Amino acid sequence: GKKGGGLFSSSKVQTVSFAPEAKNTVMLAYGYVASYANTSLITSRVEIHIVSFMRPHITLPKATLLHKAVTANALNLIARAMHPSHLNAPFVFKARDDLAKLLVEYLNAKESDIDVSIRVNSLEALASLCLLDPVIPEELEKAIITAATKIYAVPIASPTASPKESVGAYEEKQMNQVITKLDNLMAALLFMQPSIPQLRRLLEYLSPYMNAPQAHQRERATLAMHNLLRKFIQFAPSRKLDSSFTQLGQSLAMALPRCMDESPRVRRSAVECTGLMLYIDHLVRTPRKVGEAVPPPDCFKQLNAIRDRMEKEAFDQQLVIIADLAGVLATTVSAEDLVPL
């Protein structure tokens, strides 16, 4: 039959077909070509000679799970190759947002059309794409995080459950792997905009899961909040963009209900989140030189003691501990920010 002009040409006259394994190999090869090509040449060719050939095969109607996982891996390689640190020069990857949307489709698939490898590779690729300039548009950011955080609702498979009962559930090791990639994705979005408004927006995405009736959802979301707050502290000293933690009270109001959670791990993490928010407010308010460390506020010792009591003491003692926590907040948080609490 008559062949089209390229290996993956979408021309209607092309009759040559390829085994799925061959297509997977070529998709991955494109990723490695971008990674190892001469950096002075790849920027002028990546859109036309790589992305344009890959695009029709990223969302094949009957794509296998392996094809999706391999494609996501290839896109991660390409995204990393387009980073200025690799190119040693600024570059705007015009296909970035469209490729991110295709990966969001992977994450939004029904459970029978997605597995651990697809989730891990897609989240890793999205993190790499989010680290490219310019900053991801807010609407796309919302679509990315909404799709990515669906993993919080996936249960852990019980060792005693039957195969039928375990459908859609992950083993704990698999879940931890996916959650780590999701934390990295949110950290990438924060790194590109290490500001209080961006931090608050990312925290808001966690709110539905922090208030979920299922304990595993509350635990994952509270730990994600903890990781985000720590990342902000890591990023903020060298890139000061704020003078205060605006709407601190509203953010504290997300964590405080979890201080009375039935799960000791959630209670501990929620108290630590409360302390980290207070430290961030103290950090951005304190005049300092770039890179200069800021010691934590005096209330930290009290909060650490409250955290340990929250985790260890009996549940009937929690109200006494909460009263102590309220006392710390009353002396630390401004009257304006106390209102939402």
Side-chain angles (χ1 to χ4, degrees), residues 28-42:
L28 195 56
Y30 276 131
Y32 282 109
V33 166
S35 295
Y36 291 100
N38 187 310
T39 55
S40 64
L41 298 176
I42 191 61

Side-chain angles (χ1 to χ4, degrees), residues 108-337:
N108 278 330
K110 57 185 179 181
E111 287 302 315
S112 60
D113 293 333
I114 189 170
D115 62 9
V116 174
S117 295
I118 293 172
R119 272 199 164 101
V120 166
N121 292 354
S122 296
L123 290 171
E124 194 165 10
L126 283 166
S128 298
L129 290 169
C130 289
L131 286 170
L132 300 178
D133 287 322
V135 169
I136 288 282
E138 190 173 329
E139 184 177 350
L140 178 56
E141 174 193 280
K142 181 178 181 180
I144 289 171
I145 297 300
T146 301
T149 51
K150 287 183 177 182
I151 189 63
Y152 291 149
V154 176
I156 295 290
S158 170
T160 58
S162 66
K164 185 176 181 180
E165 291 172 330
S166 297
V167 172
Y170 282 12
E171 295 178 4
E172 187 169 0
K173 184 178 180 180
Q174 294 174 323
M175 180 60 68
N176 291 339
Q177 189 180 12
V178 177
I179 293 295
T180 297
K181 298 301 181 183
L182 175 52
D183 286 343
N184 292 343
L185 168 60
M186 298 188 79
L189 290 166
L190 184 61
F191 178 81
M192 296 299 288
Q193 294 186 86
S195 66
I196 294 296
Q198 174 69 354
L199 173 63
R200 291 191 65 256
R201 187 162 62 245
L202 292 173
L203 294 179
E204 285 293 333
Y205 294 131
L206 302 174
S207 183
Y209 298 99
M210 293 190 70
N211 297 314
Q214 295 83 5
H216 67 269
Q217 295 190 35
R218 299 195 305 275
E219 181 174 315
R220 293 168 190 168
T222 307
L223 290 174
M225 171 183 276
H226 187 273
N227 289 334
L228 267 176
L229 293 168
R230 290 184 66 87
K231 285 295 181 182
F232 183 89
I233 293 169
Q234 178 185 335
F235 300 150
S238 60
R239 302 167 71 180
K240 182 174 172 59
L241 299 177
D242 303 278
S243 58
S244 67
F245 196 137
T246 52
Q247 297 180 304
L248 173 62
Q250 293 184 16
S251 296
L252 286 169
M254 290 179 60
L256 288 174
R258 300 282 63 82
C259 293
M260 285 288 289
D261 199 274
E262 61 186 26
S263 165
R265 191 178 184 190
V266 172
R267 293 200 300 271
R268 177 185 178 90
S269 184
V271 175
E272 290 183 344
C273 287
T274 301
L276 289 170
M277 288 182 199
L278 296 177
Y279 176 62
I280 289 172
D281 185 54
H282 174 69
L283 177 69
V284 297
R285 288 179 184 273
T286 303
R288 67 188 187 282
K289 297 177 182 179
V290 174
E292 182 182 358
V294 176
D298 296 337
C299 67
F300 245 51
K301 289 183 179 179
Q302 295 170 275
L303 288 171
N304 288 340
I306 289 171
R307 174 200 63 196
D308 295 338
R309 290 165 60 199
M310 280 282 188
E311 188 176 27
K312 296 175 183 177
E313 294 192 15
F315 196 73
D316 58 2
Q317 296 295 313
Q318 298 299 312
L319 287 177
V320 176
I321 304 172
I322 284 291
D324 292 341
L325 177 59
V328 172
L329 294 175
T331 58
T332 307
V333 180
S334 69
E336 180 183 350
D337 284 316

